[in-house]
Amino acid sequence: MPHTTVNMSAHAAQSSVDSIFDHARRDGRPVHVLAPMVRYSKLPFRLLARNYNTDVTYTPMILAHEFIRSSIARDSDFTTCGRERQPTPDGRQHALIAQFASSDPTEFARAAELIAPWVDGVDLNCGCPQSWAIKEGIGCSLMQRPETVAEMVKSAKARLGPSKTVSVKIRIAKDLSETQRWIGIVEAAGVDFITIHGRTKAQRSSTSPDYHAIQSLVAGAKVPILANGDANHPSVLAEIIAKTGAAGTMSARGILENPTVYAGHAVTPVECVQKFMKYAVKHPIPFPLLLHHLSEMTAGVEGMNKREKSRLMACRDLFDAIDFIEEKWRLGDSSHELKS
């Protein structure tokens, strides 16, 4: 858990997630959200997304029981800094949400309470379709237990109070009436908003999301809904909002490939890569993870052919990666700044 990098005195001035939804609604625009991605939604990438019109960022999914049990797990799973929840230089509000996996109301509430000083809200993962998660009674398995989820929402809200949001992320069922009933039960428990991934637990990413299903759920919902699924290009973002009527979009693979998608860029600009390197130097992550980020976000950049990608993937450490970027895109004195 963070200790020295967070300015606790500044927290009172930070905007809540509800405030971001309200401001976006008044401005007539959707809310832009970075999805919780295992390994990839770590601090340097969240800070990068914050620079490019992302309103709310999520941590990777955290196992609540491990987070409660071990300080080592807490330090490993979650890092932050004072800048993360502050408004951006252009004055935009920004918020951070921690996503937990749990199936127990007391456990979820305790994890939420532990992380509360450093985040603006917590989210319960009810959408992970992986077999190990379902076996553990978390993720998509919770779509069969709406009453349990309702108790978890109530417990967390009782611990956190009104200054923090409690949300859930779900997938749709084959029978949409089941999802509608599920949402109604969780809404009655006081959930603040819901993210809906427009695929069933059995559908792979190659299957197109069902935006019509999301639209039907939005129409009957009493709380804001975020639409998730294939939010990977500025034109697609607008299409998703038009088709679903959602309050905003959540991007995962799309923003991983192009962290500037919410800023209207079709491909990642080179200056975004430079910023990412600066954040990664200041807030280190494992080098294989850094290399994967660079591979994803540079894939569409002009001149990044197979040969150049092979050169990038051959980098052995952070300094090799810095040298590659400087040589490839002529970033001038940036390498000296990055290495200092």
Side-chain angles (χ1 to χ4, degrees):
M1 291 285 285
H3 296 292
T4 60
T5 58
V6 179
N7 180 3
M8 296 296 290
S9 64
H11 284 182
Q14 300 305 303
S15 60
S16 68
V17 180
D18 286 332
S19 179
I20 288 175
F21 273 99
D22 290 342
H23 276 87
R25 190 183 304 113
R26 288 198 296 268
D27 293 342
R29 68 167 186 87
V31 176
H32 300 149
V33 183
L34 164 68
M37 294 179 283
V38 175
R39 293 184 297 277
Y40 303 125
S41 304
K42 291 188 178 294
L43 179 57
F45 192 72
R46 296 198 305 264
L47 290 171
L48 183 70
R50 171 181 171 273
N51 275 276
Y52 294 99
N53 288 0
T54 301
D55 299 302
V56 181
T57 54
Y58 277 59
T59 68
M61 183 186 76
I62 300 169
L63 295 174
H65 67 273
E66 292 294 336
F67 192 80
I68 295 168
R69 182 184 63 84
S70 167
S71 62
I72 295 174
R74 290 194 289 275
D75 291 338
S76 174
D77 288 340
F78 178 68
T79 57
T80 188
C81 66
R83 174 186 295 183
E84 185 164 24
R85 294 167 63 202
Q86 294 175 357
T88 60
D90 61 1
R92 286 185 299 103
Q93 296 174 298
H94 187 76
L96 172 64
I97 291 177
Q99 188 188 68
F100 287 106
S102 179
S103 60
D104 178 78
T106 302
E107 177 184 86
F108 179 55
R110 177 58 179 150
E113 186 177 42
L114 281 172
I115 208 168
W118 294 280
V119 299
D120 298 289
V122 295
D123 185 82
L124 178 64
N125 185 317
C126 303
C128 179
Q130 296 185 35
S131 57
W132 70 267
I134 295 173
K135 184 178 180 181
E136 291 290 325
I138 59 178
C140 276
S141 66
L142 291 172
M143 294 304 295
Q144 306 302 317
R145 302 164 61 193
E147 290 81 7
T148 298
V149 174
E151 287 304 313
M152 295 172 76
V153 169
K154 288 179 183 177
S155 295
K157 289 188 72 66
R159 293 280 186 104
L160 297 181
S163 64
K164 312 287 181 180
T165 57
V166 178
S167 56
V168 296
K169 185 174 185 290
I170 69 174
R171 285 180 175 243
I172 58 174
K174 287 184 179 180
D175 182 351
L176 207 58
S177 65
E178 294 180 11
T179 312
Q180 291 169 332
R181 174 182 174 274
W182 192 99
I183 289 174
I185 292 171
V186 177
E187 282 181 329
V191 75
D192 291 289
F193 67 94
I194 298 172
T195 301
I196 301 176
H197 186 137
R199 297 182 177 96
T200 68
K201 68 178 181 180
Q203 290 177 323
R204 297 183 178 273
S205 59
S206 56
T207 303
S208 296
D210 190 341
Y211 297 133
H212 177 70
I214 296 178
Q215 189 278 329
S216 296
L217 297 170
V218 168
K222 298 176 181 177
V223 297
I225 301 293
L226 295 174
N228 179 221
D230 288 5
N232 54 21
H233 190 276
S235 62
V236 175
L237 297 176
E239 181 182 348
I240 291 172
I241 295 300
K243 287 183 175 180
T244 65
T249 56
M250 175 182 281
S251 182
R253 287 178 299 139
I255 201 168
L256 189 64
E257 295 169 1
N258 177 13
T260 68
V261 65
Y262 285 132
H265 297 281
V267 297
T268 307
V270 172
E271 61 99 15
C272 175
V273 181
Q274 180 182 2
K275 284 184 179 181
F276 174 70
M277 292 300 291
K278 291 179 180 179
Y279 288 134
V281 168
K282 190 170 183 179
H283 307 286
I285 55 177
F287 181 69
L289 176 55
L290 179 142
L291 204 58
H292 182 84
H293 273 297
L294 291 176
S295 175
E296 289 286 325
M297 71 175 68
T298 61
V301 177
E302 186 177 357
M304 196 64 181
N305 53 33
K306 289 184 179 180
R307 177 178 175 275
E308 295 300 286
K309 183 171 182 178
S310 295
R311 285 185 59 213
L312 171 63
M313 299 309 292
C315 291
R316 296 165 297 177
D317 55 30
L318 177 63
F319 296 119
D320 277 354
I322 292 171
D323 288 341
F324 172 86
I325 291 169
E326 182 191 27
E327 177 186 343
K328 179 67 181 172
W329 288 294
R330 302 179 184 276
L331 296 179
D333 294 331
S334 63
S335 66
H336 303 296
E337 181 183 347
L338 290 170
K339 292 177 180 178
S340 62

